[in-house]
Amino acid sequence: MSRSLLSIFMLSLIMFYGCGGDPTAELGKPLTVSGTITLDGKPSANVEIIMKRLDAGAPAQNRQFAAVTDSEGKYSLENVFPASYAVMVNEKKDENGEEEGAAAIETGPYKKYGVNSELKADVTDSKTTFDFELKSK
């Protein structure tokens, strides 16, 4: 096989395997993370939980996940990849606040669990449930 033909063949292989790959393939299997949030022993209804990946080893769309709790304080986050996450809990803005889907705000009893939260979650294939028992004081 001539040298130039071999070079073209190798270049074709590199291009074939380098294009169109799944950018999340190395992140592991996507998981459903769920749990309950309580404040002073009572369910935290209609609060936003945000999990932000602590490392930068994922595409932007796979670094942060958010959900709103139901009336029993339960939440569920879909397609979360195994990693360590910082966890924030905030009250949502009311209907007169920012448009729907806007970032949560830090107010009232959840203030210490916002941007300066020390809550963490280490998501693994065997650990996908995280209950957070928060204190207002």
Side-chain angles (χ1 to χ4, degrees):
M1 189 178 267
S2 75
R3 200 171 202 180
S4 60
L5 189 57
L6 181 60
S7 296
I8 291 171
F9 176 73
M10 294 301 288
L11 183 60
S12 297
L13 278 177
I14 291 169
M15 289 178 61
F16 175 76
Y17 284 107
C19 296
D22 181 1
T24 64
E26 294 179 11
L27 300 178
K29 176 183 154 194
L31 306 165
T32 298
V33 174
S34 60
T36 303
I37 299 173
T38 58
L39 180 68
D40 298 330
K42 296 178 184 166
S44 292
N46 198 36
V47 297
E48 185 170 45
I49 179 170
I50 300 169
M51 293 180 66
K52 185 173 183 181
R53 192 176 173 112
L54 291 172
D55 67 0
Q61 67 271 21
N62 300 111
R63 285 190 216 137
Q64 185 168 305
F65 303 90
V68 176
T69 59
D70 65 13
S71 61
E72 297 175 352
K74 295 184 183 302
Y75 69 91
S76 181
L77 299 162
E78 303 291 324
N79 297 315
V80 178
F81 291 94
S84 292
Y85 292 85
V87 179
M88 296 170 279
V89 178
N90 295 294
E91 289 181 311
K92 294 285 289 175
K93 282 194 178 238
D94 62 18
E95 292 180 20
N96 297 325
E98 295 179 355
E99 62 189 77
E100 188 172 327
I105 60 169
E106 297 177 42
T107 60
Y110 298 96
K111 185 169 179 125
K112 68 181 176 180
Y113 301 107
V115 174
N116 297 318
S117 175
E118 294 182 8
L119 299 175
K120 303 256 185 287
D122 290 323
V123 177
T124 65
D125 290 335
S126 60
K127 179 67 174 154
T128 58
T129 301
F130 299 92
D131 296 327
F132 297 100
E133 298 175 6
L134 311 179
K135 305 276 186 221
S136 63
K137 297 179 182 168

